[in-house]
Amino acid sequence: MKLIFFGGSFDPPHRGHYEIIQYCCKKCDQLVLMPTTLSPLKNQPPVAESHHRLKMLELLTLDIDFPIQIDNWEFTQSGPNYTYQTIQYLEKQYPEYSISMVIGADQLIKFKKWKKYKEILNSVHILGFNRAYCDYTPLSGMNLTWIEDFNVNISSTVIREKIAKDQHIGNELTPSVQDYIQENNLYGYL
């Protein structure tokens, strides 16, 4: 059986995440979304608190008819969590599954900076999603399926900036996530 996990800050989860999730649901038996507390390669922690990001992920995936697990394991770990640790956790939780990991091209560019990246390469298959502004060349020996025609280029950072400046965000968020952000005054939403 095949498991795909998709980790990230999801701060906020947006339509790009939604499109990736829909794609992955067609390619696996189990999908695990793994929001992180603190990404080791980012300077700042997520803006929205953990419980808000979990709720927004629930709202984002509410209409998808597939066994999606939103796992808060990384929230229970102290300090920054490294992907190789998450993979070890998933291997214990799902021993009968082969594991694939979703990574956007913007993160694949930095992949050699990830702690124990060679161990990650030996443990999982990687689904790499293209981003228009990224120029990425896969590492030698990388077990990678490259999703070249993925053309949803939405940034959580840009969405947060637009909300803080009271700018129109278009359809970058699903209505349920946008309503949740507004109702909870997240990201400076007034």
Side-chain angles (χ1 to χ4, degrees):
M1 292 195 294
K2 186 170 183 179
L3 177 144
I4 296 176
F5 86 94
F6 182 11
S9 299
F10 301 109
D11 190 27
H14 52 64
R15 285 196 187 272
H17 297 132
Y18 183 82
E19 296 295 326
I20 291 171
I21 290 166
Q22 285 196 310
Y23 176 91
C24 291
C25 287
K26 297 172 188 165
K27 303 292 182 184
C28 68
D29 302 295
Q30 176 70 54
L31 178 63
V32 177
L33 303 179
M34 185 75 71
T36 188
T37 303
L38 177 62
S39 178
L41 294 180
K42 290 187 178 177
N43 296 329
Q44 299 292 324
V47 175
E49 293 178 26
S50 301
H51 70 278
H52 287 304
R53 292 183 293 122
L54 283 172
K55 184 61 180 176
M56 288 187 284
L57 278 174
E58 289 173 14
L59 292 168
L60 183 77
T61 60
L62 203 56
D63 71 337
I64 299 174
D65 185 23
F66 190 80
I68 298 173
Q69 172 72 32
I70 301 171
D71 194 317
N72 70 349
W73 177 79
E74 288 193 13
F75 291 166
T76 66
Q77 307 307 299
S78 60
N81 193 75
Y82 297 97
T83 300
Y84 81 91
Q85 296 169 309
T86 300
I87 292 168
Q88 290 171 346
Y89 162 76
L90 290 169
E91 287 173 336
K92 289 177 186 166
Q93 294 297 113
Y94 300 93
E96 67 281 4
Y97 285 79
S98 64
I99 299 176
S100 295
M101 173 176 64
V102 169
I103 308 180
D106 56 329
Q107 294 301 314
L108 278 169
I109 289 170
K110 306 172 193 174
F111 191 72
K112 282 181 113 173
K113 295 179 182 178
W114 290 23
K115 190 167 189 168
K116 298 191 178 186
Y117 79 91
K118 289 181 181 176
E119 184 177 313
I120 295 169
L121 289 177
N122 292 326
S123 300
V124 298
H125 173 259
I126 295 173
L127 292 172
F129 284 81
N130 191 27
R131 297 196 76 161
Y133 57 86
C134 291
D135 183 21
Y136 175 70
T137 303
L139 296 172
S140 176
M142 183 177 268
N143 184 7
L144 171 73
T145 299
W146 184 243
I147 316 302
E148 178 70 40
D149 60 350
F150 186 76
N151 295 314
V152 181
N153 290 301
I154 300 173
S155 162
S156 293
T157 302
V158 172
I159 291 171
R160 291 192 308 271
E161 290 169 357
K162 285 180 178 180
I163 291 171
K165 294 175 183 176
D166 198 28
Q167 295 176 344
H168 181 67
I169 53 175
N171 68 348
E172 296 172 353
L173 297 171
T174 61
S176 59
V177 170
Q178 187 165 349
D179 289 347
Y180 184 86
I181 290 169
Q182 187 170 6
E183 289 163 9
N184 290 278
N185 299 314
L186 301 179
Y187 313 117
Y189 211 116
L190 300 174

